[in-house]
Every structure is written in structure tokens, then in C-alpha cells.
């Protein structure tokens, strides 16, 4: 984002949002395949609507993964989110599974064979971004939007906040002065709730979560604090709106503060560069900023289907860099192998670590002990810094 004084807004949606229900199911299916065979190929799409879930897409994996097992995976995912409503219930919903074998034409381009390395699963451009606005090196508006919904979800799951439903959305507008965020000017939270709760009661349930997640003194004026602006949000989730995998790509990344290549993540195994290269680009950008080489950094990677080497590695530090960007691009490629196989092995992506990514952002999360969110590590920052003496 530019220097100067301006307002910037980002939104997040909860795990119970219809599109996120679809993302969660698609990633749960992916995890099931990777747990059985780390080299499985999966491109799973999910549609969910009133008491119905439909899976479609292409897979290549063990025959032990049957339709009955996948139906159980779907129901468990819906149950974990918390849907036990008349219009969408983990136990009662109809589940249709229409997954078929991956195209042999795609397989021959992606698979390694002879002297040919593993190729990209598709053509495309992927972006990664990092900045110094938050400790997670993420843009502040999207990070705070995620945090509010994560706090509400934790309280709902624990029973601390009774009456809230799984479906919710948040939106945070921050004022920037000289390019730095200084306070919230408005906050919007819409959350599904039990019928007996009034709008004012819901507002007071939500308020402490917002105050906790914003820096001290950043809370907006009361007139700009909007909770369920329509006045009622009882019917929600897939019963209130149809959900599809991959419809929240800006929520998944940087909240509009940085470019997005257009490809969605959920349901795709790590041979698909839509996912793995976007993770790698974030990893590199975060390490550039963590190394003190820039305050803001965007990385663009470009690939061709079936080709291992990236076609381009573009770096932009928006004038905040302390080193030459052309040299930085070369150093990055020396430090990290950005081929699909290189990314997959460096970040150890062929593991069942994806269901947890399906809500509250794929970036700005803490790396897990089992290797989840490995792209959030800053373990090459020292190498990047050393390359410039």
C-alpha cells in the first residue's frame, strides 16, 4: 500500500461460512489421501447447500480410500465445524461423491520420469507478500479480521459464548498515516445466533473479542461498530447460502493488500503450484522482510504446466528495500529451489496438514510442531542476509 494518509479495509469469514465449509471438506479429503499415500494426486471441489454436500474432481491414490470412508470424512468435518442445525446437520445431510481418476494427460506432464523432473501441475502466476505491519509480518487489516473470528470460534467451541452459530464474517477498516496503521475507524461483525438473542445481546457478546484483538486504544467509535447490521442472522451456513470451494481467495491471502494470482488453494495437492508456489512465495517474501532487507516485499512466481523451472521470479520491495532487487531475485533462487519438487521437499508439503489452513487465512499463522504452516518459518532469513554481507 502507498505512503500517505488513507483508509484500508479487509474482511475475513469463519470456518462456518458456506464457502469455508466447502474448503474445509476439500482439504479434509486431501489430508485423507496424503495420510494414506504422500504422493497422492488430489483436486477436490465441494459444493454444499441445504442438507447436501457434493464432491467432484480428480484423484489418484490408494484404493483403500473408498466412498464410504470419504463420506465419513465429510460428516466429521461438518461436525467439527459445529453444524447440527435443521437445515444443515453433519448426521442428516445427503453426501454425493463424484471423484474420478486424474487425467493421464495431466499426469504425464506432472510426474517425474527418466531425466524429466516433476513438472508444475498447471500454468499460472503466484504471489507472496510480507510487511512489517504486524508481528506475523502480515497486513494489519486482514490479520485483525482473522483474529476476531478465531477468538469468537474458540469461545463458541469451548461453550464460553453460548448462542453463537458457526457462520460469521468480520471486516476491519484501519486508518493509515504515513503508510502505517494507527487505529480502526470501523469494525463490522456479522454472526449467526440463536433465535432468542437480541441484536444488542449479540453485540455485547462480540465486543470483547474485537477489543481483545485490536491493539490497545485502536477500537473504533461506537457509531462505527456494526454488529449484525441487518438486525437478525439466525438462518446461516449452507442452509442460508450455497458454498463452493475456492471462492474466498482474498480472505485466504492478504485481504487485498497485495496481488493474488487468481488460483485457489483448498483441495489441491502440493504438485499444484496454485497452492505450493503461493506458499513458497509467501515463505520467501517473509524471510526477505525478516532479514531486514525490506519493510515490504512481494514475490511473483510464474510456471508452465509440465515444466519444472519457474519462468520468472519477480521481486518488488516498493522502495523499502536495502538491496538491489535484481540481485535479490538471483540470491533467492540460489537459496531456495523453486521447482515444484524443490518447494514440496523444502517445505515438506506432502503431509496431511491442510484442513487446518481452510479458515482464518493460509498466512500469518504459527508454524506447527508437525510441520503445518512450514511456509511461515523464517529459517532462511540469515542465509539471505549473509548473501549481501
Amino acid at each position: 500500500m502507498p505512503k500517505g494518509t488513507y483508509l484500508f479495509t479487509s474482511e475475513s469469514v469463519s470456518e462456518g461460512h458456506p464457502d469455508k465449509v466447502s474448503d474445509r471438506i476439500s482439504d479434509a479429503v486431501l489430508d485423507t489421501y496424503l495420510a494414506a499415500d504422500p504422493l497422492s494426486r488430489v483436486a477436490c471441489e465441494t459444493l454444499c447447500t441445504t442438507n447436501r454436500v457434493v464432491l467432484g474432481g480428480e484423484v489418484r491414490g490408494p484404493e483403500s480410500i473408498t466412498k464410504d470412508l470419504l463420506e465419513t470424512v465429510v460428516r466429521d468435518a461438518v461436525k467439527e465445524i459445529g453444524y447440527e442445525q435443521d437445515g444443515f446437520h453433519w448426521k442428516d445431510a445427503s453426501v454425493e461423491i463424484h471423484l474420478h481418476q486424474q487425467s493421464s494427460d495431466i499426469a504425464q506432464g506432472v510426474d517425474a520420469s527418466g531425466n524429466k523432473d516433476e513438472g508444475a501441475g498447471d500454468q499460472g502466476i503466484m504471489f507472496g507478500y510480507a510487511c512489517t505491519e504486524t508481528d506475523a509480518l502480515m497486513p494489519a487489516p486482514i490479520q485483525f479480521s482473522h483474529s476476531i473470528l478465531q477468538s469468537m470460534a474458540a469461545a463458541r467451541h469451548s461453550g464460553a459464548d453460548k448462542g453463537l452459530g458457526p457462520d460469521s464474517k468480520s471486516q476491519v477498516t484501519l486508518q493509515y498515516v504515513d503508510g502505517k496503521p494507527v487505529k480502526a475507524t470501523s469494525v463490522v461483525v456479522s454472526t449467526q445466533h440463536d433465535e432468542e438473542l437480541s441484536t444488542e445481546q449479540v453485540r455485547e457478546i462480540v465486543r470483547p473479542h474485537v477489543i481483545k484483538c485490536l491493539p490497545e486504544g485502536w477500537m473504533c467509535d461506537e457509531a462505527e461498530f456494526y454488529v449484525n447490521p441487518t438486525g437478525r442472522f439466525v438462518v446461516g451456513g449452507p442452509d442460508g447460502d450455497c458454498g463452493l470451494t475456492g471462492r474466498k481467495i482474498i480472505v485466504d491471502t492478504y485481504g487485498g493488500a497485495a496481488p493474488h494470482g487468481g488460483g485457489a488453494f483448498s483441495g489441491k495437492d502440493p504438485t499444484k503450484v496454485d497452492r505450493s508456489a503461493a506458499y513458497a512465495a509467501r515463505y520467501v517474501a517473509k524471510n526477505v522482510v525478516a532479514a531486514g532487507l525490506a519493510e515490504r516485499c512481494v514475490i511473483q512466481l510464474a510456471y508452465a504446466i509440465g515444466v519444472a523451472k519457474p519462468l520468472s521470479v519477480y521481486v518488488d520491495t516498493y522502495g523499502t528495500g536495502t538491496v538491489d532487487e535484481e540481485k535479490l531475485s538471483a540470491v533467492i533462487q540460489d537459496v531456495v529451489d523453486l521447482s515444484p519438487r524443490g518447494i514440496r521437499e523444502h517445505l515438506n508439503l506432502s503431509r496431511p496438514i491442510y484442513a487446518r489452513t481452510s479458515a482464518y487465512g493460509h498466512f500469518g499463522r504459527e508454524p506447527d510442531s508437525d510441520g503445518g504452516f512450514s511456509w511461515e518459518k523464517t529459517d532462511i532469513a540469515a542465509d539471505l542476509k549473509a548473501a549481501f554481507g
Side-chain angles (χ1 to χ4, degrees):
M1 288 180 279
K3 295 286 186 181
T5 300
Y6 55 90
L7 302 181
F8 192 84
T9 305
S10 294
E11 71 157 347
S12 179
V13 299
S14 73
E15 65 202 76
H17 185 282
D19 295 329
K20 284 290 149 199
V21 174
S22 294
D23 285 346
R24 172 68 167 272
I25 292 170
S26 293
D27 275 336
V29 169
L30 171 61
D31 282 352
T32 301
Y33 274 95
L34 292 178
D37 179 358
L39 298 182
S40 293
R41 300 289 188 258
V42 179
C44 177
E45 310 292 343
T46 302
L47 175 149
C48 59
T49 185
T50 302
N51 262 339
R52 184 176 298 275
V53 176
V54 181
L55 303 188
E58 304 80 45
V59 297
R60 177 156 48 109
E63 293 183 1
S64 59
I65 300 178
T66 63
K67 287 190 174 183
D68 286 344
L69 174 57
L70 291 176
E71 180 176 337
T72 299
V73 169
V74 170
R75 295 190 188 281
D76 286 348
V78 174
K79 183 178 182 181
E80 288 169 10
I81 293 170
Y83 274 110
E84 296 184 342
Q85 301 171 359
D86 290 342
F88 196 68
H89 198 296
W90 65 269
K91 186 185 296 184
D92 302 330
S94 168
V95 178
E96 300 177 26
I97 298 170
H98 303 284
L99 297 172
H100 60 82
Q101 286 295 306
Q102 183 189 55
S103 162
S104 58
D105 291 346
I106 293 176
Q108 72 177 357
V110 175
D111 292 346
S113 61
N115 294 323
K116 176 185 174 297
D117 196 5
E118 182 179 300
D122 201 353
Q123 71 175 50
I125 56 173
M126 295 82 208
F127 288 93
Y129 180 73
C131 63
T132 57
E133 291 181 15
T134 62
D135 290 343
L137 303 185
M138 284 287 287
I142 187 66
Q143 196 71 0
F144 296 149
S145 295
H146 287 323
S147 296
I148 291 167
L149 295 186
Q150 284 178 293
S151 179
M152 290 169 55
R156 176 175 62 84
H157 283 298
S158 71
D161 281 348
K162 300 184 184 301
L164 296 185
D167 190 1
S168 58
K169 302 175 75 171
S170 64
Q171 184 172 288
V172 175
T173 301
L174 298 184
Q175 181 180 19
Y176 284 71
V177 176
D178 294 330
K180 305 290 185 183
V182 297
K183 67 174 183 178
T185 59
S186 66
V187 175
V188 183
V189 178
S190 296
T191 179
Q192 191 180 17
H193 59 89
D194 289 350
E195 191 163 9
E196 60 268 20
L197 288 179
S198 68
T199 301
E200 190 56 38
Q201 287 173 314
V202 175
R203 182 185 186 87
E204 295 313 308
I205 292 173
V206 168
R207 184 189 301 275
H209 295 287
V210 176
I211 292 173
K212 179 182 77 172
C213 293
L214 293 175
E216 185 176 358
W218 279 38
M219 183 63 177
C220 63
D221 294 339
E222 188 66 15
E224 296 296 323
F225 178 41
Y226 302 96
V227 176
N228 286 3
T230 63
R232 177 182 168 88
F233 188 1
V234 174
V235 177
D239 188 29
D241 192 10
C242 181
L244 294 170
T245 301
R247 283 207 301 200
K248 289 292 178 284
I249 59 176
I250 302 304
V251 170
D252 285 344
T253 56
Y254 308 104
H260 191 293
F265 302 153
S266 289
K268 297 177 181 178
D269 75 75
T271 67
K272 279 74 171 174
V273 284
D274 276 346
R275 182 169 218 158
S276 57
Y279 289 174
R282 160 65 178 172
Y283 173 67
V284 171
K286 185 175 183 181
N287 276 271
V288 167
V289 174
L293 302 180
E295 292 184 11
R296 297 171 60 209
C297 179
V298 69
I299 305 289
Q300 185 206 60
L301 305 176
Y303 294 85
I305 188 168
V307 179
K309 184 180 178 180
L311 306 183
S312 65
V313 180
Y314 168 78
V315 181
D316 187 355
T317 58
Y318 301 94
T320 70
T322 60
V323 298
D324 179 74
E325 290 172 349
E326 185 175 351
K327 183 179 179 181
L328 180 56
S329 175
V331 167
I332 287 167
Q333 294 174 76
D334 286 339
V335 173
V336 184
D337 180 354
L338 293 171
S339 69
R341 182 200 295 273
I343 293 168
R344 185 167 52 80
E345 293 180 350
H346 187 101
L347 297 177
N348 207 357
L349 296 179
S350 297
R351 291 178 292 176
I353 55 173
Y354 296 104
R356 71 193 74 171
T357 70
S358 59
Y360 314 118
H362 292 245
F363 308 126
R365 312 282 286 273
E366 286 293 324
D368 292 327
S369 58
D370 67 352
F373 299 104
S374 59
W375 49 92
E376 289 299 311
K377 293 181 178 180
T378 53
D379 54 351
I380 59 168
D383 293 334
L384 293 174
K385 192 171 184 177
F388 290 94

